[in-house]
């Protein structure tokens, strides 16, 4: 049996985020966007995930999953926590950021790495305050709050790309 990207059951309900604490709101929006990317991939086979559909762009749904794993690691683990971990696939240091090297044969593994990276990043953020700061690579002081907002916008932008990629793959639309 061929592996397909698993369906995702939404755990985040956006309406419930209107009256929660700032931390709950940031975590909720980030969770919702993570789930949205997975929902855009749900039910597709590896070849569909790795196929370019909006020519001339080389973007693929699998490339977006890989890219977001890199962004999660870069901002939460490498930057905020200062962990000495390499790239998940290929990353910011080489300018690729996970987009290149997509292989349908690795789709199940790549999804597993993405999910594992989210878990590791959530652990890093869990014990820290929103005002906790770190010094970024260019020497700018940034906070965990900044990382949450940055990641929300990064997912929102790429989820828009995923909308087009999915619709061109099999006609499916929706959030």
């Amino acid at each position: 049996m061929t592996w397909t990207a698993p369906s995702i059951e939404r755990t985040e309900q956006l309406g419930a985020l209107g009256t929660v604490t700032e931390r709950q709101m940031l975590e909720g929006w980030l969770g919702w966007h993570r789930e949205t990317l997975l929902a855009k991939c749900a039910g597709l086979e590896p070849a569909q995930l790795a196929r370019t559909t909006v020519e001339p762009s080389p973007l693929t749904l699998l490339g977006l999953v890989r890219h977001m794993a890199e962004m999660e690691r870069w901002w939460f683990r490498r930057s905020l926590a200062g962990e000495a971990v390499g790239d998940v696939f290929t990353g910011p240091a080489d300018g690729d950021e996970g987009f290149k090297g997509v292989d349908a044969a690795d789709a199940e593994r790549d999804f597993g790495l993405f999910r594992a990276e989210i878990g590791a990043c959530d652990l890093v953020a869990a014990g820290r305050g929103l005002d906790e700061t770190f010094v970024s690579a260019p020497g700018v002081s940034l906070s965990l709050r900044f990382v949450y907002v940055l990641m929300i916008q990064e997912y929102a932008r790429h989820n828009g790309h995923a909308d087009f990629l999915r619709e061109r793959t099999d006609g499916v639309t929706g959030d």
Side-chain angles (χ1 to χ4, degrees):
M1 181 174 192
T2 302
W3 177 87
T4 59
S7 59
I8 181 85
E9 188 169 323
R10 292 281 192 182
T11 60
E12 297 299 335
Q13 301 301 316
L14 294 182
L17 298 177
T19 57
V20 297
T21 67
E22 179 185 17
R23 178 68 174 251
Q24 291 169 318
M25 185 178 295
L26 292 170
E27 289 175 350
W29 272 103
L30 181 56
W32 188 84
H33 278 293
R34 288 168 169 168
E35 290 174 355
T36 297
L37 180 57
L38 292 172
K40 290 293 171 190
C41 299
L44 296 178
E45 294 180 356
Q48 292 172 303
L49 294 166
R51 195 176 95 210
T52 59
T53 58
V54 186
E55 291 77 16
S57 172
L59 279 179
T60 65
L61 287 165
L62 187 54
L64 290 174
V65 168
R66 291 165 48 97
H67 173 69
M68 292 313 300
E70 291 294 347
M71 294 299 94
E72 294 270 358
R73 179 172 284 194
W74 175 262
W75 285 105
F76 285 104
R77 296 181 64 197
R78 292 172 85 177
S79 298
L80 175 67
E83 291 182 18
V85 291
D87 298 326
V88 182
F89 303 103
T90 55
D94 66 10
D96 175 14
E97 299 178 345
F99 287 122
K100 296 179 185 168
V102 171
D103 186 339
D106 297 329
E108 184 175 9
R109 179 206 68 180
D110 292 353
F111 270 72
L113 290 170
F114 172 73
R115 301 290 297 253
E117 198 57 41
I118 286 172
C121 292
D122 284 347
L123 286 174
V124 162
R128 300 170 189 270
L130 292 176
D131 293 324
E132 184 173 328
T133 61
F134 63 96
V135 177
S136 69
V140 177
S141 182
L142 302 171
S143 68
L144 174 57
R145 179 182 289 103
F146 174 88
V147 173
Y148 274 115
V149 172
L150 176 82
M151 290 302 297
I152 291 165
Q153 77 79 30
E154 182 82 4
Y155 272 101
R157 183 167 58 101
H158 289 309
N159 282 339
H161 299 138
D163 282 338
F164 289 120
L165 294 168
R166 180 63 190 250
E167 187 172 7
R168 291 292 309 256
T169 297
D170 65 357
V172 170
T173 61
D175 70 350

